[in-house]
Amino acid sequence: MDALVLIATIPVFISLYGIVKKQRFFFLLGYFLFSFLVIPDEISRYMDSPDISHILFATVFGLQAILTFPNKLNYDGTKVFKSFGIKTMLSLFLINMIAVLLINLHPESLVDDVQNNGQTLNIAMIIHGVFALIPLVACYLMLSNKMEVKSN
């Protein structure tokens, strides 16, 4: 099993902690850290085999890093913050669903020997699947006004 896949579970737990405790900073931090595991890995894979999918994957997760750059802003309940938050959550959902689909449709882009690395692929799909579902929970919490409103 690829060690990077095991390390990638740490940001998942950071984001899960953020959603359970309703702490936006930790929620975003997990996604941000995860992006910086994917980006260098995909760039190094591109250097090994110049397949454009690696650059595209790195770019998509670069977008995720930009969207999730952690800050100390609190959810203040305004329409602007809510609108931006929902757009961000849906973007994170789409980015990670694309990752699940790419791993499923093109497993050779993630591992060299697909036959012997099935477990790595499954764990990678689970990680991206969890990262795709967490923003939907955050959207639900925002839309149902279950997020604690704090002043900045």
Side-chain angles (χ1 to χ4, degrees):
M1 181 180 309
D2 191 0
L4 187 63
V5 173
L6 291 177
I7 293 169
T9 59
I10 295 169
V12 171
F13 288 116
I14 292 171
S15 286
L16 284 171
Y17 173 80
I19 201 80
V20 168
K21 293 293 186 178
K22 296 181 184 173
Q23 293 185 356
R24 185 175 175 274
F25 178 81
F26 289 105
F27 173 80
L28 295 174
L29 181 64
Y31 280 91
F32 185 74
L33 293 174
F34 184 75
S35 296
F36 281 100
L37 290 175
V38 175
I39 294 168
D41 183 56
E42 289 299 325
I43 290 172
S44 74
R45 288 178 191 276
Y46 177 75
M47 298 298 197
D48 291 341
S49 67
D51 181 2
I52 193 70
S53 67
H54 297 297
I55 293 297
L56 293 174
F57 219 45
T59 302
V60 167
F61 279 91
L63 293 172
Q64 179 171 298
I66 292 167
L67 286 171
T68 61
F69 184 79
N71 57 46
K72 296 280 185 171
L73 290 176
N74 292 317
Y75 178 66
D76 63 4
T78 62
K79 288 182 181 180
V80 172
F81 202 105
K82 186 182 275 190
S83 173
F84 179 73
I86 291 169
K87 290 175 186 176
T88 301
M89 296 307 128
L90 293 177
S91 297
L92 295 175
F93 168 75
L94 287 174
I95 287 169
N96 284 284
M97 281 310 297
I98 288 169
V100 169
L101 290 173
L102 286 175
I103 292 169
N104 200 14
L105 296 174
H106 300 288
E108 67 280 353
S109 69
L110 186 64
V111 293
D112 297 326
D113 185 6
V114 176
Q115 296 294 337
N116 293 327
N117 290 304
Q119 186 177 16
T120 299
L121 292 171
N122 289 337
I123 292 172
M125 278 194 293
I126 290 169
I127 288 171
H128 285 291
V130 170
F131 269 133
L133 292 176
I134 294 172
L136 297 179
V137 173
C139 276
Y140 167 75
L141 292 173
M142 276 191 236
L143 290 171
S144 63
N145 294 321
K146 293 186 180 184
M147 291 290 285
E148 183 179 338
V149 176
K150 300 177 183 176
S151 61
N152 287 314

